[in-house]
């Protein structure tokens, strides 16, 4: 939601970076409408980054969570939020709206942030996840790492440790694929055995669920992962 | 006659692949029952029947690519 244009320029992402449009106040209503038509039971809602909006777009996330709660009582809602420019109040408002899963992707390791996510912050993203969990410990928090962007194995493990210390519940790790010629090249193809190792390391660390594999994306089997975590709690 | 249309799904998603028809032409179908499975860049999902009746015609075979707004089948 919140349009097709993003105000950041992450090297791995193919989302358009032209002028951002004004937010559509009917958007939560339209999302609920399509969810009804498709009889959806699990929604994953995400947005572009909107540094041009005073609240970074957090009120739109709050509105969609409330619309789902009011109009689709049987449906679960997972949000995948941007970093809201580090504004704590935005994170607090979305956490208080109580989505079933609160996701925010760290994407890459600390060392690569200045190259891959120039205008974002590694610590800022960790702080956001920690704050969300502190504000609302009932919801599950979730993050994702893209492997194959130039990071070393031990750096992925270090990022997993940082996420675990930020009380992140669910982690997904998948292979980076280059969306187009303007994006960063693939540094390496991570073998399935290495992904399996991350799953084991993550489970030992204490994550409630780790999905790790070449085809894994942050929304990969989102509903099944949520249900599995809830069952085991 | 009701059209089974591929609705607008998400920002940046304007097409889908038809992967599986749960029903064949001539079958009786109920409103809300899953008719067809589709895959987009972002998700796999099932499209329910818009009405109860007979699945008269399938206009998008398994394996084909369809665009938002396209009619996939007709239910009478």
């Amino acid at each position: 939601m919140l349009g097709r244009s993003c105000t950041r320029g992450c090297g791995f992402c193919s989302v358009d970076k032209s002028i951002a449009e004004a937010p559509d106040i009917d958007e939560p209503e339209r999302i609920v409408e399509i969810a009804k038509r498709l009889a959806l039971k699990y929604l994953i809602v995400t947005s572009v980054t909107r540094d041009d909006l005073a609240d970074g777009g957090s009120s739109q996330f709050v509105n969609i969570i409330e619309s789902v709660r009011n109009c689709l009582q049987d449906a679960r809602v997972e949000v995948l939020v941007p970093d809201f420019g580090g504004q704590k109040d935005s994170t607090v408002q979305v956490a208080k709206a109580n989505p079933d899963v609160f996701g925010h992707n760290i994407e890459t390791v600390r060392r690569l942030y200045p190259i891959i996510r120039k205008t974002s912050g590694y610590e800022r993203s960790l702080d956001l996840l920690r704050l969300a969990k502190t504000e609302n410990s009932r919801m599950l928090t979730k993050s994702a790492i893209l492997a194959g962007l130039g990071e070393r194995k031990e750096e992925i493990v270090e990022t997993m440790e940082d996420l675990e210390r930020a009380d992140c519940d669910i982690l997904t790790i998948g292979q980076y694929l280059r969306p187009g010629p303007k994006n960063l090249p693939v540094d390496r193809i991570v073998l399935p055995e290495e992904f399996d190792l991350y799953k084991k390391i993550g489970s030992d660390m204490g994550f409630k669920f780790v999905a790790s594999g070449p085809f894994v994306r942050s929304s990969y089997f989102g509903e099944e992962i949520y249900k599995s975590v809830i069952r085991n709690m | 006659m009701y059209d089974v249309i591929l609705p607008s799904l998400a920002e940046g998603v304007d097409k889908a692949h038809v992967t599986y028809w749960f029903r064949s032409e001539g079958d009786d179908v109920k409103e809300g029952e899953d008719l067809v499975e589709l895959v987009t860049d972002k998700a796999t999902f099932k499209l329910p029947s818009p009405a109860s009746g007979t699945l008269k015609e399938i206009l998008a075979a398994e394996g084909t690519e369809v665009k938002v707004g396209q009619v996939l089948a007709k239910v009478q």
Side-chain angles (χ1 to χ4, degrees):
Chain A
M1 54 176 204
L2 289 170
R4 285 170 181 266
S5 281
C6 186
T7 52
R8 301 275 169 95
C10 303
F12 53 80
C13 181
S14 64
V15 169
D16 180 53
K17 281 112 190 163
S18 55
I19 308 295
E21 306 131 337
D24 177 355
I25 53 162
D26 295 331
E27 193 167 50
E29 204 176 296
R30 287 191 289 115
I31 291 173
V32 165
E33 178 58 31
I34 188 72
K36 275 186 184 167
R37 280 177 64 186
L38 293 173
L40 298 183
K41 291 282 180 279
Y42 197 91
L43 281 76
I44 302 180
V45 182
T46 190
S47 80
V48 289
T49 296
R50 292 294 303 256
D51 293 310
D52 57 313
L53 301 176
D55 68 355
S58 59
S59 55
Q60 196 84 334
F61 276 99
V62 172
N63 291 341
I64 179 65
I65 294 163
E66 287 174 353
S67 298
V68 171
R69 294 287 182 241
N70 292 333
C71 308
L72 299 164
Q73 274 89 7
D74 294 342
R76 297 283 145 268
V77 57
E78 172 174 334
V79 295
L80 175 59
V81 302
D83 69 17
F84 301 126
Q87 294 187 82
K88 291 188 166 50
D89 190 54
S90 291
T91 299
V92 169
Q93 295 309 320
V94 177
K96 280 186 172 164
N98 196 28
D100 296 284
V101 178
F102 180 107
H104 173 70
N105 291 348
I106 194 98
E107 311 285 13
T108 189
V109 302
R110 186 191 298 270
R111 180 178 57 86
L112 294 180
Y113 256 68
I115 304 160
I116 288 165
R117 306 195 80 195
K118 293 186 189 81
T119 46
S120 304
Y122 186 79
E123 286 297 333
R124 184 199 286 175
S125 283
L126 289 173
D127 287 347
L128 180 150
L129 283 162
R130 194 179 296 114
L131 176 63
K133 192 71 182 180
T134 309
E135 277 302 316
N136 180 357
S137 59
R138 282 172 301 163
M139 65 184 186
L140 299 171
T141 52
K142 179 171 177 178
S143 196
I145 301 171
L146 289 165
L149 278 164
E151 74 291 331
R152 294 185 294 268
K153 288 177 195 174
E154 58 271 26
E155 289 178 306
I156 288 191
V157 176
E158 197 180 291
T159 300
M160 292 168 72
E161 284 166 350
D162 289 337
L163 288 169
E164 210 283 318
R165 272 195 291 269
D167 271 336
C168 180
D169 298 306
I170 302 168
L171 173 64
T172 65
I173 310 176
Q175 171 69 47
Y176 167 65
L177 293 174
R178 190 183 200 177
K182 288 177 185 163
N183 296 103
L184 295 164
V186 173
D187 175 71
R188 69 185 175 118
I189 295 294
V190 179
L191 296 176
E193 296 74 29
E194 187 178 328
F195 280 114
D196 290 345
L197 183 64
Y198 296 137
K199 183 170 175 67
K200 178 163 188 332
I201 292 172
S203 303
D204 291 346
M205 271 181 199
F207 284 99
K208 293 192 171 77
F209 200 102
V210 181
S212 178
F215 299 118
V216 172
R217 296 294 179 260
S218 58
S219 57
Y220 180 86
F221 281 96
E223 181 179 15
E224 286 77 2
I225 291 174
Y226 166 77
K227 283 181 176 166
S228 156
V229 171
I230 292 296
R231 252 199 315 275
N232 294 323
M233 275 169 81
Chain B
M1 194 84 90
Y2 291 85
D3 289 339
V4 180
I5 294 171
L6 181 65
S8 174
L9 300 158
E11 212 68 73
V13 177
D14 49 17
K15 58 181 191 292
H17 275 93
V18 178
T19 44
Y20 187 73
W21 282 97
F22 297 98
R23 294 293 188 169
S24 310
E25 286 181 358
D27 284 358
D28 286 340
V29 294
K30 290 203 182 81
E31 184 181 347
E33 165 187 328
D34 290 335
L35 278 188
V36 56
E37 183 190 71
L38 298 123
V39 173
T40 69
D41 289 348
K42 294 283 184 189
T44 302
F45 65 98
K46 293 159 187 162
L47 202 55
S49 178
S52 296
T54 307
L55 181 58
K56 290 300 277 187
E57 198 179 359
I58 289 177
L59 299 161
E62 289 171 7
T64 57
E65 188 179 274
V66 288
K67 290 200 169 78
V68 166
Q70 194 171 328
V71 179
L72 310 184
K74 287 180 183 289
V75 174
Q76 190 168 40

